[in-house]
Amino acid sequence: MTAVKEIKEVVTILFAGDSGDGIQLTGGQFTDTAALMGNDISTFPNFPAEIRAPIGTVAGVSGFQINFGSVEIFTPGDQCDVLVVMNAAALKVNLKNLKKGGVIIANISGFDKRNLRLAKMDEEYTIQDDKKLEGYKIHEVDVSKVTRETLKDSGMGTKSVERSKNMFVLGFLYWMYDRSLESTITFIESKFKGKQDLIDTNIQVLKAGYNYGETCEAFPTQVEVKPADIEKGVYRNIIGNEAAAIGLIAAAKKSGLELFYGTYPITPASDILHTLSKHKNFGVKTYQAEDEIAAICSAMGASYGGALGITASSGPGIALKGEAIGLAVSLELPLVIINVQRGGPSTGLPTKTEQSDLLQVMYGRNGEAPVPIIAAQSPTDCFDAAYEACRIAIEHVTPVFFLSDGYIANGSEPWKVLKGEDLPSITATFAPERKEEDAPFLPYSRNEKLARPWAIPGTKGLAHRIGGIEKENLTGNISYDPDNHELMTKLRQAKVDKIADFIPEQQLDNGNEGDKLLVLSWGSTYGVVKTAVKELREEGKSLAHAHVRYMNPLPKNLGALLSKFDKVLMPEMNNGQFVKIIRDKFLVPAIPYNKVQGLPFFTHELKDKITEVLNAK
Amino acid sequence: MTEETIVKSTEGKLAAKDYATDQDVRWCPGCGDYSILKQVQSVFAELQLDRDETVFISGIGCSSRFPYYMNTYGMHSIHGRAPAFASGLRSINPDLNVWVITGDGDSMSIGGNHFIHMLRRNFNMNVLLFNNQIYGLTKGQYSPTSEQGKVTKSSPIGSLDHPFNPLALALGADSTFIARSMDRDPKHMRALLLRAEQHHGTSLVEIYQNCNIFNDGAFFTFTEKETKGDTVLYIEQGKPLVFGANNDKGIKLDGFKPVIVDLKDNSANDLWIHDETDRVKASILTRFFDDPAKEGALPRPFGVFYVEQRDNYEDALIAQLNKSIEIKGSGNLDALLRGNNTWEIK
Ligand SMILES: Cc1ncc(C[n+]2csc(CCOP(=O)(O)OP(=O)(O)O)c2C)c(N)n1
Ligand code: SF4
Ligand SMILES: [Mg+2]
């Protein structure tokens, strides 16, 4: 039977189940296919904190949300249109994330007594009798059973059969959204290369899912989401952490420096290490140190030796690095420190997202120790921001913070493929050799950027000593002189402030000066703020949006720009951090709007808040 | 070599003083650190080591001021972390001659973790552990190597901590070169520094160093004429373990148990013959750690305890990169930016 086709602009699907159900893989495949079909997309995986959280329990539920459309997409979407649940716990956890009247696709083999017990639900529970589900469109499939039947002649063991059941669900959704199976078939062929039986069975189950959609009468309509009107060109899909890793490699290549990455594993930063360690043929040296302190110190040792030294962690590890960052400020060596933020304090919410380390990276050191900060705004911007952090570190000879967070680090979106030659140049300058008869070498002299010479060991005639004790201006010799200390403190600050001359001015992302309200955002809230402002402007509201990437130093014109608006609203996934800096620097009565749930803002929440602020006197 | 070139090289030869900086040395007069500085400079002159190719990296402590006094590259880093800086530097430039300078607090306390990991990784560098059994710079608190019951400013009625035995710890961490010397035996120290410099791997030299301000005489039983004969055992490759004021005592192994014997009744041929490559014997030797005041105490060994040839981390790191380039080809940025899965919007 040929189903009727319904056309939609945007669809949000949430896949949810046990970590072992292959949720992330299913979501990833659906994403790749949507991208290949020309949709704009944004995704958000939501992992449980424990790798092998008890099967079937609420704590073990893993999720993957994809928002795709024929229009521009900036967020993974608020509530979803379709909720796919592989077991009872997944439904229990995620029903609130489904739009009223939305579609539920439930694997009923995940609703047996055992699963209900594990989810701490009534053992007599059935979906049909659940009053809370009234008004939703529910489709139940016994995925385990149909997968078993599909593979009954394959000779596969029960375990392998169970494992391929996500392919059935994927196939079914491909039918629902009129997608091609091709990309996933290619994926299966390469993933199971050399294991023909697994290739055959997975493809068989995928097709069975698709055919099931076609033959079962439950869904009379297929939904079509047309390609989006995206700028022409070649695209790939990219996850934020992977983009950051590639940005670092690109910066090393363009600057001609060796890349040294000293780190200690921590969620959600580890994937940068995983990606980099796959690219050793770029001359990338990854070093898994014994702890975060050794990680940053090894990276500084590498920078001292003339490499692009990089270290990465999340809040807890950044706390450990604090003393060494102070030394980097004092030594004035290039260094990139990556903080992929997660919920805090302490271990906090390791797999969830938050923007609560801004004040930590801005001020969290002893003494006066200013460090430039760049914050990425989206998964693809992780590339640009990481690249820019390297540029500033190398050209201004300074440690630089690159801030990301779990949301954009794990989220993905399409990325227009770049060429190396399109990237801005990065110039690394080492202090030149010096002959005996030349003037003495002054390791703490400065150039027009106020950067000191990067004098690497092994350079003839430049032997000199550096350290964490206050240095005499120019010579770098130890100095306890009070005036010298004040001078050096001011010089280190001036050097960071000077960077403002080498970064772009702050632009409005949307709206105009003189609009009633400016929404000022930073970091990973970009997409959702952009969407909310765009939708409200389409409703005729007077508001603008500016998004800050350069957190320290701030763009030179930011203060003047802020003064053009009556009201400034600052949404942040923390208890109000950037707002403190803005109020402090510019004395504007910016209004904080905060969410500290380990989760990103929803567009509707933000629109409500903005509307409230606009309507207030 | 022609006669002319010989003349030139002697002319351009660096003396020990050429390795000193113009900075005033700020250690207390009489501090054992002076002697170590002097021997290092003299070894540098003897080997004519290149000042521009050498880097001294230290942590924090009196001893860690050392780099300021060497006319080479140097970094006075943060407390306990020098091994980590040195590891990163060696990973990037394996041509540099890297020396780590650390104290007993720096290496055994705050930097204990980096110390053991540095040893197991076996970067090719030299580590001088200035052991004065006290926190000198912070004005005299007990350290992880202070003897139990030590009375200091922070332990007025005696410290409770059982002390570390740094060389046993190093052996446990699979160090590939383990040696001990003392500030008051410059000749011995010099010979050991030369050996350390020649070893391809992390060479650990523990140096007993007198802090005449806060722990004066901590090692006098080993360093002073009156007592050293009976307390010090100089170990040399291939030689029997003989000690005593008149070289009249020796060490024999009874199974795994070392026993002191009188050479009047025993031939030197029956004694334990020192073999630096024997790990089991080295582990017994590092455990010669008795309080010298104790009745029947084993003498304290000085010399090279153990040497092993094992791959360096940095060599392996470079080999791995080269291998990866061999297999995948040198990384192509455009291909990396493009990835494996693209689509075109027309
Ligand atoms: C993070 C940190 N904690 C504490 C100190 C204070 N401190 C400086 S040196 C030192 C101990 C030094 O002892 P040791 O390493 O034995 O060196 P020595 O002075 O005896 O040569 C301490 C505790 C510091 N500089 N940094
Ligand atoms: S305090 Fe002790 S170790 Fe420090 S310089 Fe003085 S004598 Fe030497
Ligand atoms: Mg000490």
Side-chain angles (χ1 to χ4, degrees):
Chain A
M1 147 195 136
T2 344
V4 190
K5 274 191 196 162
E6 182 189 347
I7 293 180
K8 281 198 172 176
E9 273 192 348
V10 184
V11 174
T12 311
I13 305 177
L14 172 57
F15 296 91
D18 237 26
S19 327
D21 284 332
I23 295 299
Q24 304 302 326
L25 186 141
T26 311
Q29 280 306 303
F30 196 93
T31 305
D32 284 355
T33 296
L36 283 172
M37 298 190 67
N39 300 129
D40 200 1
I41 42 183
S42 173
T43 73
F44 181 50
N46 199 348
F47 309 104
E50 289 82 21
I51 305 298
R52 295 272 180 269
I55 293 178
T57 63
V58 167
V61 174
S62 162
F64 186 100
Q65 183 154 319
I66 168 168
N67 194 17
F68 63 109
S70 56
V71 292
E72 271 189 297
I73 302 278
F74 302 105
T75 79
D78 288 5
Q79 286 179 308
C80 58
D81 302 295
V82 180
L83 172 64
V84 181
V85 293
M86 297 302 283
N87 62 20
L91 178 63
K92 189 173 169 184
V93 172
N94 285 304
L95 185 60
K96 62 173 188 301
N97 297 324
L98 178 62
K99 278 184 194 149
K100 273 272 159 276
V103 175
I104 297 172
I105 298 171
N107 165 31
I108 52 158
S109 56
F111 284 77
D112 59 9
K113 283 200 166 34
R114 202 178 127 265
N115 272 292
L116 288 167
R117 211 164 42 237
L118 287 167
K120 299 212 160 57
M121 287 163 74
D122 184 350
E123 283 183 32
E124 304 305 320
Y125 174 91
T126 61
I127 293 179
Q128 293 91 346
D129 298 339
D130 187 346
K131 291 267 177 325
K132 282 206 304 278
L133 299 184
E134 267 168 30
Y136 292 99
K137 297 185 203 73
I138 300 166
H139 189 78
E140 297 178 59
V141 202
D142 190 335
V143 181
S144 295
K145 190 167 139 207
V146 288
T147 308
R148 243 180 353 253
E149 265 159 29
T150 309
L151 295 179
K152 65 175 183 291
D153 299 326
S154 70
M156 299 295 279
T158 10
K159 256 219 177 115
S160 306
V161 171
E162 264 299 293
R163 246 186 235 141
S164 55
K165 69 179 195 287
N166 59 332
M167 285 298 139
F168 185 90
V169 176
L170 185 60
F172 181 49
L173 281 154
Y174 279 166
W175 176 83
M176 270 182 78
Y177 291 96
D178 194 18
R179 316 260 104 179
S180 144
L181 304 184
E182 207 176 311
S183 157
T184 295
I185 289 176
T186 316
F187 165 81
I188 292 171
E189 283 166 353
S190 93
K191 181 176 160 86
F192 297 112
K193 201 167 178 181
K195 296 179 194 139
Q196 197 55 46
D197 50 343
L198 287 178
I199 295 178
D200 293 344
T201 49
N202 275 284
I203 293 177
Q204 211 181 331
V205 177
L206 179 76
K207 287 187 173 160
Y210 189 91
N211 296 337
Y212 176 83
E214 208 160 42
T215 45
C216 87
E217 310 265 308
F219 281 92
T221 48
Q222 264 180 310
V223 176
E224 189 181 350
V225 179
K226 293 225 156 76
D229 183 16
I230 306 174
E231 197 187 326
K232 285 194 182 61
V234 177
Y235 285 80
R236 64 178 289 185
N237 196 35
I238 196 148
I239 296 169
N241 269 342
E242 196 186 350
I246 295 177
L248 303 177
I249 296 176
K253 271 264 173 192
K254 290 288 278 192
S255 62
L257 297 173
E258 235 183 278
L259 193 162
F260 180 94
Y261 189 79
T263 189
Y264 186 79
I266 187 168
T267 303
S270 300
D271 280 336
I272 303 178
L273 169 64
H274 303 158
T275 305
L276 286 174
S277 58
K278 277 192 270 191
H279 297 300
K280 298 224 153 122
N281 61 325
F282 282 82
V284 172
K285 289 179 174 165
T286 56
Y287 183 71
Q288 188 174 313
E290 57 270 26
D291 60 26
E292 279 88 351
I293 302 173
I296 182 169
C297 295
S298 64
M300 287 170 68
S303 284
Y304 178 51
L308 170 55
I310 297 169
T311 190
S313 193
S314 190
I318 299 299
L320 288 173
K321 293 177 198 289
E323 187 195 10
I325 298 169
L327 180 66
V329 170
S330 174
L331 295 185
E332 303 189 40
L333 285 171
L335 176 74
V336 175
I337 310 149
I338 300 175
N339 181 352
V340 186
Q341 300 164 95
R342 61 191 218 180
S346 187
T347 303
L349 304 170
T351 58
K352 307 287 183 234
T353 196
E354 214 161 276
Q355 297 182 299
S356 48
D357 296 347
L358 177 63
L359 296 182
Q360 178 192 35
V361 303
M362 185 80 182
Y363 301 119
R365 288 167 292 285
N366 61 305
E368 296 289 346
V371 177
I373 306 165
I374 294 175
Q377 66 184 31
S378 67
T380 56
D381 189 49
C382 285
F383 175 89
D384 297 303
Y387 189 87
E388 181 68 347
C390 295
R391 182 188 71 81
I392 292 175
I394 294 166
E395 295 188 344
H396 294 258
V397 194
T398 177
V400 176
F401 262 111
F402 162 59
L403 271 182
S404 167
D405 67 37
Y407 177 52
I408 50 180
N410 290 318
S412 77
E413 61 184 359
W415 189 37
K416 191 163 177 213
V417 168
L418 288 169
K419 279 223 157 36
E421 64 195 33
D422 304 335
L423 297 168
S425 67
I426 301 180
T427 314
T429 317
F430 296 135
E433 289 186 4
R434 183 187 143 270
K435 291 194 205 66
E436 202 79 52
E437 61 273 20
D438 293 347
F441 174 56
L442 295 173
Y444 278 78
S445 56
R446 291 171 196 280
N447 66 10
E448 74 290 349
K449 294 191 172 88
L450 298 180
R452 77 174 191 95
W454 188 4
I456 62 172
T459 313
K460 290 275 162 267
L462 296 191
H464 67 286
R465 277 65 50 195
I466 54 176
I469 299 184
E470 185 58 280
K471 286 154 289 284
E472 185 179 61
N473 188 27
L474 304 174
T475 66
N477 289 330
I478 291 182
S479 166
Y480 297 102
D481 180 75
D483 291 337
N484 177 75
H485 176 54
E486 188 162 292
L487 172 69
M488 293 303 281
T489 303
K490 296 238 151 87
L491 276 172
R492 286 186 287 260
Q493 183 66 52
K495 169 180 159 175
V496 170
D497 294 345
K498 187 88 188 151
I499 294 168
D501 292 345
F502 298 85
I503 59 173
E505 293 211 327
Q506 184 63 50
Q507 306 289 334
L508 287 178
D509 190 81
N510 199 348
N512 305 298
E513 288 179 7
D515 278 334
K516 252 184 99 183
L517 168 75
L518 175 71
V519 186
L520 185 65
S521 56
W522 72 277
S524 72
T525 56
Y526 174 71
V528 67
V529 175
K530 185 180 178 75
T531 307
V533 171
K534 187 169 157 255
E535 290 181 13
L536 286 168
R537 281 184 63 86
E538 280 161 11
E539 292 168 23
K541 303 263 161 56
S542 163
L543 79 168
H545 174 208
H547 188 84
V548 181
R549 288 169 81 240
Y550 294 89
M551 309 299 290
N552 191 36
L554 291 164
K556 284 194 286 191
N557 64 328
L558 183 60
L561 185 67
L562 294 179
S563 71
K564 299 285 179 357
F565 296 88
D566 293 345
K567 289 179 186 171
V568 177
L569 176 69
M570 296 183 62
E572 293 180 79
M573 296 187 293
N574 56 36
N575 222 4
Q577 300 200 358
F578 192 36
V579 71
K580 288 197 176 74
I581 296 175
I582 290 293
R583 287 171 167 203
D584 168 35
K585 292 236 151 91
F586 306 114
L587 293 173
V588 292
I591 305 160
Y593 174 47
N594 307 103
K595 177 171 178 178
V596 204
Q597 300 175 1
L599 292 169
F601 284 105
F602 291 130
T603 311
H604 68 86
E605 302 174 321
L606 209 48
K607 283 172 75 176
D608 289 351
K609 178 69 189 182
I610 294 171
T611 310
E612 177 198 313
V613 172
L614 275 170
N615 293 342
K617 280 260 156 49
Chain B
M1 221 189 270
T2 67
E3 215 148 295
E4 202 189 58
T5 56
I6 294 170
V7 173
K8 264 199 187 142
S9 69
T10 15
E11 258 180 10
K13 233 177 156 180
L14 296 168
K17 67 168 176 30
D18 295 320
Y19 291 96
T21 57
D22 60 357
Q23 300 293 294
D24 295 334
V25 183
R26 304 265 191 103
W27 290 311
C28 307
C31 174
D33 290 351
Y34 283 96
S35 155
I36 304 174
L37 177 62
K38 193 163 168 214
Q39 290 319 309
V40 170
Q41 288 169 345
S42 134
V43 164
F44 266 66
E46 172 153 350
L47 298 175
Q48 287 295 295
L49 297 177
D50 189 336
R51 291 176 294 195
D52 292 325
E53 295 288 337
T54 303
V55 189
F56 278 83
I57 302 184
S58 63
I60 299 291
C62 294
S63 38
S64 286
R65 294 294 173 95
F66 199 95
Y68 289 116
Y69 310 135
M70 286 297 298
N71 189 6
T72 61
Y73 282 89
M75 186 197 284
H76 181 216
S77 75
I78 44 177
H79 202 13
R81 324 295 178 196
F85 289 92
S87 304
L89 181 59
R90 287 276 328 155
S91 299
I92 282 306
N93 188 349
D95 297 329
L96 295 172
N97 185 357
V98 176
W99 294 65
V100 169
I101 304 292
T102 182
D104 45 315
D106 197 62
S107 63
M108 298 284 107
S109 206
I110 194 166
N113 195 26
H114 312 306
F115 180 78
I116 52 177
H117 289 277
M118 161 185 72
L119 295 176
R120 76 179 166 93
R121 291 191 182 110
N122 195 35
F123 284 94
N124 186 15
M125 55 197 188
N126 305 313
V127 182
L128 307 187
L129 197 181
F130 292 40
N131 185 1
N132 54 12
Q133 297 188 348
I134 202 85
Y135 286 177
L137 190 72
T138 46
K139 301 196 165 68
Q141 301 82 1
Y142 63 96
S143 90
T145 56
S146 300
E147 67 278 13
Q148 199 167 0
K150 179 97 188 156
V151 173
T152 68
K153 262 190 206 147
S154 61
S155 54
I157 51 172
S159 68
L160 299 173
D161 295 40
H162 180 78
F164 257 135
N165 172 338
L167 297 192
L169 177 70
L171 196 66
D174 286 357
S175 175
T176 63
F177 183 99
I178 297 176
R180 179 188 289 135
S181 191
M182 49 187 143
D183 55 0
R184 300 203 177 201
D185 190 344
K187 249 180 80 189
H188 184 261
M189 194 200 315
R190 198 180 138 81
L192 245 60
L193 293 175
L194 283 166
R195 283 283 315 270
E197 170 60 7
Q198 276 148 21
H199 175 66
H200 195 71
T202 306
S203 313
L204 173 68
V205 184
E206 179 191 25
I207 304 171
Y208 284 172
Q209 171 244 324
N210 192 39
C211 167
N212 54 312
I213 303 295
F214 298 113
N215 201 14
D216 196 23
F219 304 109
F220 280 180
T221 48
F222 306 124
T223 58
E224 303 313 294
K225 257 217 194 78
E226 305 73 52
T227 43
K228 68 186 278 189
D230 288 328
T231 56
V232 169
L233 170 68
Y234 284 110
I235 49 176
E236 277 183 72
Q237 177 66 352
K239 301 259 175 74
L241 301 193
V242 173
F243 70 108
N246 306 310
N247 281 334
D248 51 357
K249 288 185 260 189
I251 310 281
K252 239 170 95 167
L253 264 181
D254 177 10
F256 287 114
K257 193 173 148 34
V259 286
I260 299 175
V261 296
D262 197 324
L263 285 188
K264 279 198 281 292
D265 320 320
N266 286 270
S267 142
N269 295 335
D270 300 335
L271 298 179
W272 169 340
I273 306 295
H274 183 46
D275 178 2
E276 294 167 351
T277 63
D278 189 326
R279 202 172 197 290
V280 177
K281 279 183 168 168
S283 71
I284 302 172
L285 211 49
T286 55
R287 290 288 171 188
F288 281 33
F289 204 60
D290 295 337
D291 173 358
K294 209 180 79 185
E295 184 66 32
L298 287 165
R300 194 68 59 94
F302 291 80
V304 178
F305 287 62
Y306 182 64
V307 184
E308 176 191 323
Q309 293 309 326
R310 192 174 76 224
D311 282 351
N312 297 139
Y313 187 95
E314 60 274 44
D315 292 349
L317 177 67
I318 291 162
Q320 196 181 53
L321 291 199
N322 290 338
K323 184 90 197 269
S324 157
I325 291 170
E326 209 177 282
I327 294 169
K328 295 194 195 167
S330 184
N332 176 309
L333 183 57
D334 287 340
L336 178 69
L337 291 168
R338 196 181 164 88
N340 298 325
N341 211 357
T342 57
W343 68 93
E344 191 173 356
I345 305 286
K346 291 196 180 113

